[in-house]
Amino acid sequence: MITLRQITLRRGTKVVLQGANLTLQPGEKVGLIGRNGAGKSSLFALLTGRLHADTGDVEIPPRWRVGEVAQHMPETEDGATDFVLQGDAPLVAAQAELSAAEASGDGHAMAHAHLALDEAGAFDARARAQALLLGLGFKTGQLDAPVNSFSGGWRMRLQLARALMCPAELLLLDEPTNHLDLDALVWLEAWLKRFEGLMVVISHDREFLDAVTRVTVHLDECTLTRYGGNYSAFEEMRAERLQLAAAAFAKQQDRIAHLQKFIDRFKAKASKARQAQSRVKALARMERLAPVLTAGDFEFEFREPQSLPNPMLSFDDLSCGYPSSATASADGGGPAERAAPGAGRPGTGRATPIVSGFSRSVLAGQRIGILGANGQGKSTLVKTIARALAPLAGRVTEGKGLVIGYFAQQELDVLQLDDGPLMHLVRLARDVGPPAREQELRDFLGRFRFTGEMAQQAVGSLSGGEKARLVLAMLVWQRPNLLLLDEPTNHLDLTTREALSIALNEFEGTVMLVSHDRALLRETCDEFWLVAGGRVQPFDGDLDDYQRWLLDVSRAAAKGQPAPPVPRAAAPAPAARTPTATPAAGPKGPRPAGVAAPSPASVRNDRRLAAQSRSQLANRTRPLRLELQQIDARMEQLAAERLAVEARLAAGKRPPADMAEDGRRLNHIAAEVAMQEERWLELQTALEALNAAG
């Protein structure tokens, strides 16, 4: 096991840990949480030996192998599979031993090397490495592609696969979900559940933490506090602990006030001097409790849009992609309509569209989650809507007064690294508006925790979470009525993610969201679009339906069968195309004539109540959904075991005792299957009842 005793750790002048104690047992699945900048990555560096404690003891079994995702971008011409195989340290050592033995002609050393290769699983190592790559979203044709041919996000996936390839007793994962889509995220959760060693993971994805962890370690105020349970259990236990601590502190303060009042009243009276003196001593001996101090909650809200055009956008036979150089500089249509550049002009270069044939309207007030695997065209679609890319074909018609607030994946990279947050906002107010005085801009930045000298601090020195908060501040300042958010939570901690969820639910405009954060998607989106196979189509279902559909797709692919159809609604949502449609029309279409428009306050209150209802329903149904997933996994195990036993029985030519034991095992499997099916039906009925009541 790992033991930390009275650890004090400093990074420069900052104290990261002080008097910290922690014990981690083999096989535990641990979530390490804390606000951005608390020192979680420094604790990882301490466990790997890259940092050493200033005081205290760190005990880690010396023979333990540590698997960790390297944070630097790999630069090599090695193939993807070979790169991942290099993460298997025992295999690499055995291969080096064999090469040295063959070079020296030492037969005994060669025999020992072959034994080491066998123990390292050399014969199926390549297959295991490729299974990791396929699970993380790589295509079959990319398995041997050079590492340098991949983009940054895919290289980080290679680093993750390389870490998972290591047969480690301790696996350290720092934000492993940042570069994964939902498909790969579901696969990673299943893989980590099967991992047999001690795993410590840093993540700000609460559903991921709930799925894979059973212990939570909270790093706060330079101390480590261990909680038994996943993140949801941690929230409940921490709230209860804070409540008890606050009550104890208040009770002690009342006791201190009572004693002090007696002392002040009677210390001058001779008849009461002895009693007063005893209370003075009692007060001096009392062990004072500290007040309960927690990091202040971060809150913000999007300002009310100046107008809500309806429809916001209309797409007519839209095709999206990256144009060739011949079309990249072509002008589009007017400000209200954007047609494909070069449409109808012979001889113009064309690029193969990533998404095509898309016709649909986006209405005021809609909350749309955009689903799909990486590389299918989600970001390309969003960039086209945001005017960052011109459509390859078709037309985009914008509503009058449309103001787009766009959070791009690479938005953090296009900030001016030498300028401070205040300079960014001054430039935005001058070039985009609305204009404002410097003090007003400083006050506005203060709401996003950019106060004092931090408003002038160079953006390049800010953390990823601070840069993301600056981008959010710039979005809020523009007062958009359509928010296009492409993976906005990659660098946000849990507190800021929750603030973003609340702000989006109270936002009166339209939201289009691409994210792998399932909690954010569940809490903010009322409908989903699926980008797959070059098409965009509505997905009739929730995220649980989407995960089941992904599982069906992977099973069909493994069997060489066609992919199952996408769940579709019986009838598509009506598209409001009339310019007289009222601005407050909701996601189901325009209001009938004669119906009064609800007030902005009423719309805001309704959205807040709806968000609270969705959040409460998700919390009530989460235990049922988790148990259903566990039952599904167990049923798959039983089915595989039954096939294996039946195959042994069919083969025959085995001792009668073994055959009898296999028969008894089949009976046990059948009994457990019946029990699991009965429990599954009970849970499903309860889940449906909760959903119907919610």
Side-chain angles (χ1 to χ4, degrees), residues 245-430:
F249 177 75
K251 185 177 180 180
Q252 186 184 69
Q253 291 301 112
D254 290 341
R255 174 67 174 160
I256 291 172
H258 178 75
L259 291 173
Q260 191 64 50
K261 185 177 181 181
F262 186 94
I263 294 168
D264 294 340
R265 177 176 296 179
F266 297 113
K267 65 182 179 181
K269 291 188 177 182
S271 61
K272 297 288 187 180
R274 181 170 295 178
Q275 292 94 324
Q277 190 62 32
S278 69
R279 282 162 174 77
V280 170
K281 293 179 180 178
L283 200 58
R285 290 195 302 267
M286 184 180 295
E287 183 178 350
R288 303 296 179 96
L289 298 176
V292 178
L293 299 175
T294 59
D297 289 337
F298 173 65
E299 296 180 349
F300 74 98
E301 61 181 2
F302 291 96
R303 298 192 286 186
E304 181 181 351
Q306 293 181 338
S307 65
L308 288 176
N310 197 28
M312 290 268 182
L313 292 163
S314 291
F315 308 109
D316 296 315
D317 201 26
L318 179 67
S319 292
C320 308
Y322 291 88
S324 64
S325 58
T327 62
S329 60
D331 294 329
E337 292 188 349
R338 287 181 276 140
R345 284 180 276 169
T348 303
R350 294 281 186 178
T352 302
I354 300 175
V355 173
S356 60
F358 179 44
S359 298
R360 198 166 177 83
S361 291
V362 177
L363 308 179
Q366 278 187 288
R367 299 290 194 272
I368 302 169
I370 302 177
L371 307 176
N374 279 4
Q376 292 296 314
K378 303 189 300 296
S379 294
T380 305
L381 174 64
V382 172
K383 287 178 181 178
T384 303
I385 298 173
R387 312 184 187 108
L389 287 175
L392 297 181
R395 191 176 301 276
V396 180
T397 304
E398 299 180 354
K400 183 179 180 180
L402 179 69
V403 180
I404 296 176
Y406 177 39
F407 190 116
Q409 284 195 60
Q410 67 274 19
E411 188 72 35
L412 304 181
D413 298 327
V414 300
L415 295 172
Q416 300 296 320
L417 300 184
D418 295 330
D419 293 338
L422 179 61
M423 181 56 66
H424 280 81
L425 215 58
V426 167
R427 190 183 303 116
L428 183 67
R430 182 191 64 215

Side-chain angles (χ1 to χ4, degrees), residues 36 106 125 130 140 180 218 294 374 413 481 489 518 521 649 689:
N36 281 344
D106 188 338
Q130 293 182 344
T140 305
L180 302 183
H218 186 209
T294 59
N374 279 4
D413 298 327
N481 47 33
T489 63
R518 288 161 295 177
L521 287 169
L649 288 172

Side-chain angles (χ1 to χ4, degrees), residues 139-151:
K139 305 299 182 184
T140 305
Q142 297 175 312
L143 296 178
D144 293 312
V147 171
N148 285 345
S149 66
F150 293 100
S151 64

Side-chain angles (χ1 to χ4, degrees), residues 49 52 84 116 225 231 297 477 505 526 577 583 614 648 659 689:
H52 298 282
V84 172
T225 307
Y231 183 79
D297 289 337
W477 183 262
N505 276 299
D526 300 321
R577 294 179 177 271
R614 283 197 299 269
R648 290 199 301 269
M659 301 280 283

